[in-house]
């Protein structure tokens, strides 16, 4: 199947700083990518839909100025958590669908464990 | 928007028993229903999926059934093994236009030897 790679796998940052997470589709082009957040023992909650060459679409309750999404190429989307606080500590995971593969199955990155201290 | 409910939240079975996890969805336009297995700290892994034009699908010990009229679908695992222990998520999506996946709340399955 298609491969989605996410970097870094884990990051620890100080409160008030910004952290950038990268999501790459390695063997296919993804015009759309999705960013999820997962708190411990909870489900994956969609934060935003990242669209190549246009603005991201944010889910209700997600601050677009705090979670900056850039999808500048067909293989890369980035999520920047600005002015991170301890409550932003979570598992962030991206996904994309391969249009050449039918566009049905979602492929996930390995996730990024963010800890804000 | 779509809302997916999943139950039970936890399920404990003995090795060799069957396990059933159920989900309901709200949007009749949803036509793709995958099931994922997630181990601690790892990405979700697709274990089986079903489209709305099919009522049942089976892959070895795993099967999924779909009732479009009632808007519910279920995961069936037979002959459970300790390595089946994980968190399982159902999800629903519309396949056209790369629509988002909406996940259920998850079921923690524990298979005891």
């Amino acid at each position: 199947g298609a491969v989605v790679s996410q970097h870094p796998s884990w990051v620890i940052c100080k409160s008030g700083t910004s952290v950038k997470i990268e999501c790459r589709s390695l063997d296919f082009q993804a015009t759309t990518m999705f960013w999820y957040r997962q708190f411990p023992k909870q489900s994956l909650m969609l934060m935003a839909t990242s669209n190549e060459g246009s603005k991201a679409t944010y889910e209700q309750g997600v601050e677009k100025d705090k979670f900056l999404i850039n999808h500048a190429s067909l293989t890369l989307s980035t999520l920047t958590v600005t002015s991170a606080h301890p409550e932003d500590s979570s598992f962030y995971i991206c996904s994309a669908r391969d249009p050449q593969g039918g566009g049905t199955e979602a492929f996930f990155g390995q996730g990024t464990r963010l800890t804000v201290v | 928007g779509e809302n997916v409910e999943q139950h039970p939240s936890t399920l404990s079975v003995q090795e060799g028993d069957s396990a059933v996890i159920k989900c309901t969805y709200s949007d009749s336009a949803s036509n793709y229903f995958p099931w994922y297995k997630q181990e601690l700290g790892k990405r979700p892994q697709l274990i089986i999926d079903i489209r709305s034009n099919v009522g049942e699908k089976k892959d070895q010990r795993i099967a999924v059934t779909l009732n479009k009229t009632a808007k519910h679908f279920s995961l069936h695992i037979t002959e459970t093994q300790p390595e089946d222990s994980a968190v399982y998520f159902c999800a629903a999506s519309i396949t056209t236009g790369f629509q988002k996946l909406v996940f259920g709340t998850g079921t923690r399955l524990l298979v005891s030897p």
Side-chain angles (χ1 to χ4, degrees):
Chain A
V3 178
V4 174
S5 179
Q6 196 171 331
H7 178 82
S9 297
W10 60 271
V11 57
I12 301 173
C13 71
K14 290 186 177 180
S15 188
T17 62
S18 296
V19 173
K20 181 184 284 189
I21 302 169
E22 294 185 346
C23 179
R24 294 181 185 273
S25 55
L26 297 188
D27 49 1
F28 67 99
Q29 294 182 331
T31 55
T32 303
M33 291 184 176
F34 302 93
W35 287 96
Y36 293 86
R37 179 168 53 182
Q38 186 177 32
F39 291 109
K41 297 186 178 182
Q42 293 189 23
S43 186
L44 287 83
M45 298 302 295
L46 181 69
M47 299 175 66
T49 301
S50 172
N51 303 297
E52 188 269 336
S54 64
K55 292 182 179 180
T57 304
Y58 290 82
E59 295 298 299
Q60 191 173 9
V62 178
E63 301 174 57
K64 61 181 181 180
D65 294 330
K66 180 171 181 62
F67 299 99
L68 300 180
I69 290 173
N70 185 285
H71 195 150
S73 79
L74 286 170
T75 59
L76 174 64
S77 175
T78 60
L79 168 67
T80 300
V81 183
T82 63
S83 187
H85 291 285
E87 56 265 31
D88 299 322
S89 298
S90 188
F91 189 59
Y92 293 85
I93 190 163
C94 65
S95 79
R97 286 162 151 161
D98 179 5
Q100 296 299 318
T104 302
E105 182 178 352
F107 298 94
F108 288 87
Q110 55 267 62
T112 298
R113 170 78 54 196
L114 170 63
T115 302
V116 185
V117 297
Chain B
E2 177 64 275
N3 182 52
V4 179
E5 296 186 356
Q6 181 173 347
H7 64 273
S9 56
T10 58
L11 180 59
S12 294
V13 300
Q14 292 291 122
E15 182 177 1
D17 288 349
S18 295
V20 179
I21 303 171
K22 298 182 179 182
C23 288
T24 59
Y25 61 99
S26 61
D27 190 348
S28 56
S30 290
N31 58 355
Y32 176 63
F33 307 94
W35 285 89
Y36 293 90
K37 176 183 181 182
Q38 187 181 32
E39 297 177 347
L40 191 61
K42 301 288 182 63
R43 76 185 90 191
Q45 289 183 296
L46 179 69
I47 56 172
I48 196 166
D49 56 13
I50 192 167
R51 289 177 179 260
S52 59
N53 58 349
V54 176
E56 184 174 355
K57 184 176 178 181
K58 188 174 181 180
D59 182 5
Q60 299 182 346
R61 297 186 297 110
I62 295 173
V64 56
T65 58
L66 170 66
N67 183 326
K68 282 193 300 181
T69 303
K71 296 199 193 74
H72 66 69
F73 55 113
S74 301
L75 176 71
H76 304 253
I77 305 175
T78 59
E79 300 172 31
T80 54
Q81 302 166 1
E83 50 266 38
D84 292 330
S85 297
V87 179
Y88 291 80
F89 292 99
C90 62
S93 174
I94 300 170
T95 54
T96 54
F98 299 106
Q99 296 283 334
K100 62 189 178 185
L101 273 173
V102 177
F103 285 84
T105 47
T107 296
R108 186 170 300 276
L109 174 65
L110 176 61
V111 181
S112 302

